[in-house]
Amino acid sequence: MDTRARTPDLDPEETTEWHEAFTTLVQQQGPQRARFMLDELARLARAGRIGWAPDLNTPYANTVAVEQQAPFPGDLAIEERLASLMRWNALAMVVRANQVEMGGSAELGGHIASYASAADLFEVGFNHFFRQQVNGGPGDLVFFQPHSAPGVYARAFLEGRLAEADLLHYRQEISATERGARGLSSYPHPWLMPDFWQFPTGSMGLGPISSIYHARFLRYLTHRGLLDGSARTVWGVFGDGEMDEPESMSALTLASREGLDNLVWVVNCNLQRLDGPVRGNGRIIDELERLFAGAGWHVIKLLWGSDWDGLFARDHGGALLRAFAHTVDGQMQTFAAKDGRYNRDTFFGQDPELAALAQGMTDEQIDRLKRGGHDLVKIHAAYAAAQAHRGQPTVVLAHTKKGYGMGSAGQGRMTTHQQKKLDAADLIEFRNRFNLPLTDEQATQLTLHKPAADSAEMQYLHARRAALGGYLPQRSAACAPLPVPPVADWGGFALQAGNKEMSTTMAFVRMLTALLKDTQLGPRIVPIVADEARTFGMANLFKQVGIYSSVGQRYAPEDIGSVLSYREALDGQILEEGISEAGALASWTAAATSYSVHGLAMLPFSIYYSMFGFQRVGDAIWAAADQSARGFLLGATSGRTTLGGEGLQHQDGSSHLVAATIPNCRAWDPAHAGELALIVEHGMREMLVEQRDVFHYVTLMNENQPQPDLPAGAADGVLRGAYHFERLGTGDAARAVTLLGSGAIFAEVRTAAARLAADGWCVHLVSVTSWSELARDGQAHEQALLQGETPAAAPWITRLLATTRGPLVAATDYVRAVPESVRAWLPEGRRYLTLGTDGFGRSDTRAALRRFFGVDADAVERAARHLVA
């Protein structure tokens, strides 16, 4: 709503003349000419510095006027019956799951009200817009509101893709397996239902940002000539409360800047969050309209159903719009919760003009006045206008009632989001409200209803989906393998490094540069960086493969004469995301799931400060794992002591701890370029050739160190998580010790080993490439024993250390919990002491930091002498 104070009209006669002139312009020359004149007046106002700008809010009415509505192409009566069946089956599924007497449990939870409000929004999409195939290839991408998952299951049940037994095991995935059935996950989770859900949206806010970057990645693939995605649309159905999440809003300007007219959001504005109104004292639809319009989106307001058309047509004085302009959402929610008599007295009764409009309408007719998001005809008109719009992304702000049709049990109630049970009277009222073909007994027993296969409803449902190319949601992992070049071709320099000094970050960039030149794999690589390419030494790639830009490069860069000049291009390969780790991770996810979304394997390498990975966007990484992402995350400037002066917020000591909690994440902390080369080759083969659902997190350091040749026979150990690097000295058993190190601290451990050996000690030096892989190997061995199985061999770390002597000292640049994770599988009788960087980071030199945290060579040596003493 416009909160600006209105200036008093000092000359009403002149004002009337302007009104009449503008009205005549519209009537005689049309809206296009009228828009031109308004733009011209606005330009004059800005030039004269009058201090005026148009309000970003339009009247509280539908954007698509009645005369502009596209004809509704379907059978309205059948579609309304189908929507009612979806609502019932979704409700029955959730309520049954929470009733003990029906085999459920009060512990399971679930949601009814969100889908009740969104059912019609989904149904119009399913019947007319959400395409499974486009031109014989992959179809549209649809992000489903997570709390509406029961409705998507209910539709799949009618389509024959889910059985009744599946719906009866909603949120009972383990129990279902034990009973020989298939359970249904709470929200969209591709990992749990890999042939069904395509995008995980259960962590609210991640679906919106992900949809934007998926739409942009479609353009990226198209502009690079890898596939034609120009005819495909990305749809996102989200909630108005979800728009409070910063991730929901953070990439709006990217969508408009890139002109992503292949993106349509539908925001279900039922005005309620989980506990109460989204904006009780304001209007969320007005707020969102200003936000999206200001960000450069095309906004379509879908507020009132067809029953309101007659009221608006008779309202010559604008009483309705005046009333809406002063009705806040908290009051609108109350209108939704109350009956027709209350709405007659409270809304229409506030003004004689409004009361006159309601004359002749019964209380039931007033009660049945639909909001726009519940009117199939209006929804279709809004969607058609959204899909036809060009040059901008579009958002449809759909006004609905939360718990629509639940009556006194939940419609518009503060508690409706938590409503999971309905009594017999409520169920029969719901049955009557939607004219469902159920007896009283069937309603109270929550019987799932599926019409006969030859019924008009079922034939229509299948025909509509056939016309749109098949059923949604549906996920396929079918993808042609992508060959990986031999490591010697691109990483030979690292395997035989000859003690040449470099950082593992620079070694990685050199490997990436070579891989990009491979004729088969190179074009499929997606380098991603969050505005730190120069920091990581990647500036040479600017000229080699270019930075992707949807408009090319419209300027001559300042450094155009440099060999490292900044080059943007329409077919550029690098995704340079600016200062946005969330954006970079969203792009990485789009590329890392391209094999399932587009049937085209891509290989993303996203490089960033390791501290800004799992800590800052860990939830998004978890969602990528849920989606079975395949790619590399590179945590550069890794560890707590390699980034020197940057200090507390930049120094990472815990990312490996967090990475270890994600089951399909392989986390590596290599110390040398040779280890890194083997890990990258292993990851590429695992993801592109074997097509395993894993992704790899590799930490890289910015510290130049001598890079040794990879010891002969070490490859197997590198990929298992640890290997025997070398043995120093020939001391007796009384002065023997085994030192373990990884990543940035391995050099300190190696220095300590040399000192001890020079003092007559026998030192076994072990390089650990992955603490988490060692721990998982040990856990798998232990689990097999608990299940009565006999493992073929002991855990790798047990066998490896059995060939060494003396107590054990482990040091890393991470918190001590990381090396502590393998303690259970060490050889018996050997003392184990871990050194790490627990606590907050500091600003100082590397040497000072390592001394402070007790992970330098002196600390390692002291620990070894202490254990032996």
Side-chain angles (χ1 to χ4, degrees):
M1 69 184 73
D2 187 356
T3 57
R4 298 177 297 187
R6 292 183 61 86
T7 303
D9 189 349
L10 302 180
D11 191 341
E13 183 177 349
E14 182 184 33
T15 303
T16 299
E17 292 175 357
W18 278 82
H19 286 177
E20 291 174 350
F22 185 74
T23 301
T24 301
L25 176 69
V26 174
Q27 292 173 346
Q28 294 183 356
Q29 299 190 47
Q32 185 173 351
R33 177 64 178 169
R35 286 193 294 270
F36 172 82
M37 290 304 300
L38 290 172
D39 289 339
E40 188 67 11
L41 289 172
R43 186 187 65 79
L44 290 173
R46 286 193 296 271
R49 296 179 179 167
I50 292 173
W52 175 90
D55 182 25
L56 292 175
N57 277 128
T58 57
Y60 209 70
N62 292 341
T63 301
V64 181
V66 176
E67 60 273 15
Q68 297 172 326
Q69 288 179 192
F72 186 75
D75 187 314
L76 187 59
I78 290 181
E79 290 194 26
E80 288 180 337
R81 291 200 296 273
L82 284 171
S84 297
L85 287 176
M86 306 304 174
R87 279 194 174 89
W88 170 257
N89 286 333
L91 177 148
M93 175 177 61
V94 174
V95 176
R96 286 182 69 121
N98 285 272
Q99 290 192 350
V100 177
E101 60 272 22
M102 290 191 174
S105 169
E107 301 174 16
L108 295 175
H111 304 91
I112 301 170
S114 291
Y115 178 70
S117 70
D120 300 301
L121 299 174
F122 280 104
E123 281 305 297
V124 172
F126 277 122
N127 286 325
H128 301 284
F129 292 95
F130 301 162
R131 298 168 298 175
Q132 168 63 359
Q133 292 187 17
V134 174
N135 300 327
D140 295 336
L141 283 56
V142 186
F143 290 75
F144 292 97
Q145 185 182 20
H147 290 117
S148 293
V152 182
Y153 293 140
R155 169 168 264 272
F157 168 60
L158 289 197
E159 292 169 339
R161 299 195 298 139
L162 294 177
E164 182 171 339
D166 301 328
L167 268 64
L168 296 182
H169 287 91
Y170 171 62
R171 292 194 171 201
Q172 300 169 74
E173 295 162 283
I174 298 171
S175 302
T177 302
E178 293 170 348
R179 297 168 188 162
R182 176 183 186 176
L184 302 181
S185 61
S186 53
Y187 304 118
H189 291 300
W191 187 267
L192 300 174
M193 300 178 67
D195 61 342
F196 193 85
W197 294 115
Q198 195 169 48
F199 303 108
T201 56
S203 189
M204 289 193 290
L206 298 186
I209 190 172
S210 183
S211 70
I212 290 173
Y213 280 88
H214 270 279
R216 202 273 293 265
F217 192 68
L218 260 176
R219 288 286 172 82
Y220 170 87
L221 293 174
T222 301
H223 287 154
R224 291 196 53 222
L226 295 171
L227 60 76
D228 182 6
S230 58
R232 298 166 67 189
T233 302
V234 179
W235 294 84
V237 184
F238 309 116
D240 49 355
E242 187 173 5
M243 295 300 107
D244 286 343
E245 291 283 3
E247 292 88 353
S248 298
M249 300 287 102
S250 64
L252 293 186
T253 54
L254 177 135
S256 58
R257 185 170 69 248
E258 298 283 316
L260 297 180
D261 51 19
N262 61 340
L263 177 66
V264 177
W265 278 14
V266 180
V267 180
N268 176 21
C269 297
N270 60 32
L271 313 185
Q272 288 186 241
R273 293 197 196 107
L274 280 60
D275 291 335
V278 178
R279 298 289 185 273
N281 297 306
R283 288 212 299 271
I284 187 60
I285 291 175
D286 280 349
E287 182 179 323
L288 292 178
E289 181 182 24
R290 291 193 299 271
L291 179 66
F292 280 94
W297 287 51
H298 178 54
V299 180
I300 296 176
K301 293 200 292 192
L302 171 60
L303 305 185
W304 309 112
S306 300
D307 293 340
W308 288 86
D309 288 343
L311 294 174
F312 277 106
R314 299 199 307 274
D315 181 21
H316 303 296
L320 281 171
L321 292 180
R322 286 198 304 274
F324 291 145
H326 298 95
T327 303
V328 296
D329 284 355
Q331 185 61 49
M332 198 71 76
Q333 179 189 351
T334 302
F335 290 150
K338 301 296 184 179
D339 60 14
R341 168 54 61 179
Y342 178 89
N343 281 277
R344 178 190 296 278
D345 295 341
T346 309
F347 178 74
F348 289 102
Q350 64 183 302
D351 183 299
E353 290 183 69
L354 292 176
L357 288 175
Q359 283 182 355
M361 297 179 68
T362 66
D363 290 346
E364 183 179 3
Q365 286 175 320
I366 291 176
D367 191 48
R368 291 295 184 98
L369 284 171
K370 289 181 179 179
R371 294 182 181 177
H374 300 306
D375 187 306
L376 302 182
V377 173
K378 295 293 187 183
I379 297 169
H380 181 273
Y383 286 10
Q387 196 167 54
H389 187 74
R390 289 292 170 264
Q392 295 170 284
T394 296
V395 61
V396 177
L397 302 177
H399 195 193
T400 66
K401 295 179 181 180
K402 191 158 188 175
Y404 180 65
M406 292 173 65
S408 59
Q411 180 171 288
R413 304 285 176 176
M414 291 291 189
T415 58
T416 189
H417 190 80
Q418 285 75 28
Q419 188 75 8
K420 316 208 186 317
K421 296 181 180 180
L422 286 82
D423 60 26
D426 292 329
L427 292 169
I428 290 174
E429 181 184 354
F430 190 94
R431 186 271 316 269
N432 294 340
R433 170 69 179 80
F434 292 105
N435 196 27
L436 294 161
L438 300 168
T439 65
D440 287 357
E441 182 180 5
Q442 288 174 322
T444 56
Q445 291 300 308
L446 295 163
T447 303
L448 298 172
H449 182 74
K450 185 174 184 178
D454 60 353
S455 66
E457 291 83 1
M458 295 298 284
Q459 291 185 20
Y460 185 90
L461 178 144
H462 290 298
R464 291 310 310 147
R465 287 314 309 166
L468 293 168
Y471 302 101
L472 283 174
Q474 190 173 104
R475 179 181 180 276
S476 172
C479 181
L482 190 59
V484 173
V487 66
D489 291 356
W490 49 269
F493 75 93
L495 300 177
Q496 300 296 321
N499 285 319
K500 182 179 180 181
E501 277 205 3
M502 71 179 80
S503 68
T504 51
T505 297
M506 291 312 301
F508 162 72
V509 173
R510 187 170 169 183
M511 294 174 197
L512 180 62
T513 302
L515 285 169
L516 284 166
K517 295 175 181 177
D518 184 78
T519 55
Q520 289 183 287
L521 177 62
R524 304 288 190 90
I525 291 175
V526 185
I528 303 170
V529 64
D531 202 47
E532 289 285 1
R534 297 186 191 276
T535 300
F536 304 136
M538 297 173 63
N540 65 300
L541 296 180
F542 292 166
K543 272 199 170 181
Q544 180 181 333
V545 295
I547 299 164
Y548 171 70
S549 166
S550 61
V551 296
Q553 191 164 38
R554 297 173 173 175
Y555 62 94
E558 171 273 329
D559 59 353
I560 193 169
S562 166
V563 295
L564 303 179
S565 64
Y566 200 79
R567 184 175 76 88
E568 298 185 70
L570 185 64
D571 61 350
Q573 198 160 349
I574 302 169
L575 291 176
E576 214 285 8
E577 301 297 6
I579 305 174
S580 174
E581 282 78 18
L585 201 283
S587 269
W588 181 85
T589 302
T593 57
S594 177
Y595 74 95
S596 63
V597 176
H598 309 298
L600 181 74
M602 302 294 289
L603 183 63
F605 289 89
S606 180
I607 186 168
Y608 52 86
Y609 275 30
S610 65
M611 186 63 172
F612 301 152
F614 287 86
Q615 290 83 348
R616 180 173 294 222
V617 290
D619 193 18
I621 295 175
W622 186 260
D626 187 352
Q627 202 175 334
S628 299
R630 299 173 185 171
F632 287 95
L633 295 173
L634 290 311
T637 60
S638 64
R640 187 149 281 162
T641 69
T642 65
L643 198 50
E646 290 289 328
L648 186 151
Q649 284 291 118
H650 287 63
Q651 293 169 348
D652 166 32
S654 55
S655 67
H656 274 285
L657 196 63
V658 183
T661 67
I662 301 179
N664 53 339
C665 175
R666 305 283 186 261
W668 309 89
D669 188 29
H672 305 126
E675 298 170 355
L676 175 63
L678 291 182
I679 289 166
V680 171
E681 182 199 35
H682 168 67
M684 290 193 297
R685 292 193 181 281
E686 196 174 30
M687 296 182 290
L688 299 178
V689 180
E690 300 169 17
Q691 298 194 348
R692 298 183 63 191
D693 289 334
V694 297
F695 65 98
H696 291 256
Y697 173 59
V698 186
T699 44
L700 306 172
M701 53 184 155
N702 62 335
E703 182 178 2
N704 287 334
Q705 294 180 352
Q707 299 293 328
D709 294 345
L710 192 71
D716 184 52
V718 168
L719 301 180
R720 285 176 174 268
Y723 67 97
H724 196 279
F725 183 81
E726 64 181 344
R727 174 177 171 173
L728 297 86
T730 57
D732 58 23
R735 290 213 298 174
V737 68
T738 298
L739 305 182
L740 299 88
S742 68
I745 300 303
F746 183 83
E748 301 288 339
V749 176
R750 193 178 183 190
T751 298
R755 291 178 186 172
L756 290 167
D759 195 29
W761 288 54
C762 174
V763 184
H764 297 270
L765 185 56
V766 174
S767 178
V768 177
T769 53
S770 177
W771 297 98
S772 56
E773 289 299 289
L774 293 174
R776 285 173 178 166
D777 178 51
Q779 291 162 4
H781 181 272
E782 194 170 75
Q783 190 64 28
L785 293 175
L786 290 173
Q787 294 176 353
E789 301 172 5
T790 303
W796 175 251
I797 188 65
T798 308
R799 287 183 280 151
L800 178 67
L801 294 180
T803 65
T804 68
R805 294 189 298 166
L808 304 151
V809 178
T812 78
D813 216 7
Y814 293 86
V815 294
R816 292 176 60 244
V818 173
E820 283 288 337
S821 64
V822 303
R823 180 180 288 273
W825 301 284
L826 303 179
E828 292 185 14
R830 309 255 309 260
R831 292 192 63 191
Y832 183 54
L833 181 63
T834 56
L835 307 178
T837 56
D838 295 67
F840 286 118
R842 301 288 195 281
S843 293
D844 215 308
T845 63
R846 293 185 184 116
L849 288 168
R850 288 167 185 168
R851 183 172 64 251
F852 174 81
F853 284 108
V855 292
D856 61 356
D858 289 345
V860 176
E861 183 181 354
R862 284 196 304 271
R865 293 182 183 277
H866 168 74
L867 287 184
V868 172

